[in-house]
Amino acid sequence: MVSVDEKKGISPAASAFDTPVSEGQVVKRRFPGFSLEVRQEESSFATTKSASNADFDPIPPSKRTWNWGAYVAYWMADAWAVSNWEVASSMIAVGLDWKMAIGACVLGNTIMGLVITVNGRMGATLHTPFPVLSRMPFGYYFSYFVVLSRCVLAIVWLGVQTTTGGQCMSVLLTAIWPSFAKIPNHIPEDQGISTSGMIGFLLYFLLQLPFLCIPYTKVQYFFAFKSIIAPICFLAIFGDTLRRAGGTISNSSVITDGTTISGSTLTWAFFANLNGVLGNYATLGLNIADFSRYANKPSAQNVQALVIPCIFTVVGLLGIFTAAAAESAYGHVIWNPIEIIELWMKSGSHGGRAAAAFAAIGLIIVTLGINISANSISAANDLMAFCPKYINIRRGQLLAAVIGSWAFVPWKILASAAKFLAFLGGYTIFLGPMTSILMTDYFIVRRGNVSVPDMYNFHGIYRYSPKYATNWRAVVAFFIGCVPPLPGFVNNIVVAGLGKTSVSIGGQHLFAIGYVYSFMAAGVFYWLFNRFFPHTESIMDHPETGEDIIAANDAKNVEKKRADRAARKTSVFTRAFEV
């Protein structure tokens, strides 16, 4: 049975006390300059304040500030990361040689680059965030499950990257004050962190908060800054390690050793690691619209198809060559660049400490960029979907940082939770079907003929079912995609905890190609369901983006903002953090 509010198009999350937003409505504030309710644009297609806000609406023309250079900077900021630097280590550990490891990186990142670029076209054309777009194929209710699935991953990884940043902060503090490393530990060993480590973690957490407040219309400038600092930092680590190795890496076992496995075992090991590469950015493959919607034109984000495989391959190669040089320089293979920086300080010289301090600062900037580009903005968009009346992007980023950094105790995850990390790595079998269904629905089933206003209307054409507000075609296709690899997924988690299961070799192999299988199977079945059981009520012969309404109100809002600036003086600091 449909409630009266639902018939009016009000989200089920809306309060019973909400009233429709009218033009010129003034919200009374308990504190000057602050409102618990976030701002809602006059051009919003939502019928109540509880259904959308200025950040959740389609991005207006004046805020579409990302050109192709911004997307190059974005991926430069994302690729230069410790995790991508170490990506080949696990591949070589299971028996692949370094050339096959790089081959898996190139192939995986090329595929993911195409998925991200094609999927990003939706956001660049419609300028709506991923949580809103997901309502189109999944329906209103099931879209919440899809968004929550993505949101949890983003928040967890935000916490994990904060832990990495805390380690860099500890290196910086030790380089400046060597006595910092001798602080007595008062935290139990089984917690996975020391007292000095917790201090570094806390300081990094506090440091990143103002960076999370940088508005999305200007954050690309920080990405550009990081895209300069990060390569300098990592190249310095590589260059110094190579110098200590005598300028050669040819004697390292990383380079000289061939594959340690053969036949079908080698083949499936390659596919399993290829699946790992795909899973590394399967999250952004799903929600890239959260970033592509800022494009100043639809083609601006196309550069991602070329940038992603190129830059990730370069970073992976440098990681391999540095690990190889470290074997000659330090006596053993070192994959983690933070460990190399710590070795610089062992001599006790002022030069070594200074070099370590500057490198640590560089890595701190690196992790800041990753947490913004890959985690916090994505999590904020997802959190907005559940409570747009009170959460915008900035509040969502801060909330995600608090939850990810403290509620999920990420230092313990990194230290001991092998099963949990295996769970995060294998989660791609759920992300693949979601991505495929979203792309199939927009490009093949609807051919781009969609209604943006109806995505914001709870009782619009994408409701599908009056009672369940869910598209059964998408739900069934999703389970067809994710259920068959599920036994292998469970086996992977148990094995990571040093256990054993009775899952067959076939089940394990299917999980090894889990992302590719789940992506293809879900997409094909979703198309078949729509081919033989179409939902005619949502089929359109032309797109309705509401662009004329958005542009007209944007012009009015821009003029009003200019008048406000002329009437009062604003500081440079205020303008820097103003959306």
Side-chain angles (χ1 to χ4, degrees), residues 279-397:
N280 197 24
Y281 280 89
T283 48
L284 276 170
L286 174 61
N287 76 300
I288 188 61
D290 287 339
F291 300 94
S292 62
R293 69 186 185 126
Y294 305 132
N296 58 1
K297 56 182 179 180
S299 61
Q301 58 98 43
N302 291 349
V303 70
Q304 297 177 115
L306 180 63
V307 171
I308 292 173
C310 290
I311 189 61
F312 278 84
T313 300
V314 169
V315 173
L317 274 172
L318 283 174
I320 290 173
F321 295 156
T322 303
E327 186 173 15
S328 299
Y330 299 107
H332 63 284
V333 176
I334 303 175
W335 289 99
N336 191 341
I338 299 176
E339 185 179 342
I340 294 176
I341 294 173
E342 289 174 337
L343 290 173
W344 291 355
M345 296 186 290
K346 281 200 170 181
S347 64
S349 66
H350 293 298
R353 286 169 52 195
F358 282 113
I361 292 172
L363 290 180
I364 286 172
I365 295 172
V366 165
T367 53
L368 284 172
I370 294 170
N371 258 352
I372 296 172
S373 62
N375 300 319
S376 67
I377 292 180
S378 300
N381 277 283
D382 296 339
L383 289 171
M384 276 197 300
F386 296 99
C387 197
K389 182 178 180 180
Y390 299 106
I391 299 177
N392 56 15
I393 287 182
R394 181 171 295 171
R395 293 181 186 180
Q397 286 181 276

Side-chain angles (χ1 to χ4, degrees), residues 115-242:
V115 170
I116 287 173
T117 303
V118 174
N119 199 18
R121 186 79 180 185
M122 271 181 271
T125 303
L126 305 177
H127 303 287
T128 54
F130 157 69
V132 174
L133 290 174
S134 66
R135 297 169 181 174
M136 181 174 59
F138 293 103
Y140 212 97
Y141 280 164
F142 199 74
S143 71
Y144 283 130
F145 168 77
V146 174
V147 172
L148 181 63
S149 301
R150 171 66 185 98
C151 183
V152 171
L153 278 182
I155 292 176
V156 170
W157 284 118
L158 194 157
V160 170
Q161 286 295 336
T162 301
T163 304
T164 302
Q167 294 171 352
C168 298
M169 181 64 74
S170 296
V171 171
L172 174 61
L173 295 174
T174 303
I176 299 174
W177 300 287
S179 60
F180 178 80
K182 301 177 183 178
I183 293 177
N185 181 39
H186 300 288
I187 299 176
E189 188 176 346
D190 63 354
Q191 294 303 305
I193 195 169
S194 63
T195 299
S196 59
M198 180 59 75
I199 293 172
F201 179 86
L202 175 61
L203 291 176
Y204 177 84
F205 171 77
L206 295 174
L207 174 67
Q208 78 175 343
L209 294 182
F211 287 91
L212 299 181
C213 293
I214 300 174
Y216 53 80
T217 54
K218 299 167 185 174
V219 73
Q220 70 268 32
Y221 302 119
F222 177 72
F223 293 154
F225 171 69
K226 186 206 162 179
S227 68
I228 298 173
I229 297 298
I232 292 175
C233 178
F234 281 106
L235 286 171
I237 295 172
F238 167 66
D240 181 78
T241 309
L242 186 63

Side-chain angles (χ1 to χ4, degrees), residues 421-478:
L421 289 174
F423 170 81
L424 293 177
Y427 202 77
T428 54
I429 64 170
F430 304 106
L431 301 178
M434 296 174 185
T435 307
S436 177
I437 289 169
L438 183 61
M439 294 172 63
T440 303
D441 185 81
Y442 180 79
F443 291 105
I444 300 177
V445 175
R446 306 188 190 280
R447 301 183 184 275
N449 296 322
V450 299
S451 171
V452 173
D454 277 289
M455 296 180 195
Y456 290 88
N457 184 357
F458 180 70
H459 204 62
I461 61 176
Y462 302 119
R463 183 177 176 85
Y464 293 102
S465 166
K467 183 177 181 180
Y468 300 106
T470 295
N471 183 6
W472 68 265
R473 302 158 191 81
V475 175
V476 175
F478 168 76

Side-chain angles (χ1 to χ4, degrees), residues 19 53 109 119 153 177 191 194 210 251-252 273 296 374 477 492 496 511 547 552 563 579:
T19 55
N53 60 51
N109 287 313
N119 199 18
L153 278 182
W177 300 287
Q191 294 303 305
S194 63
N251 297 324
S252 171
N273 284 281
N296 58 1
N492 187 52
F511 176 72
E547 184 69 16
V579 179

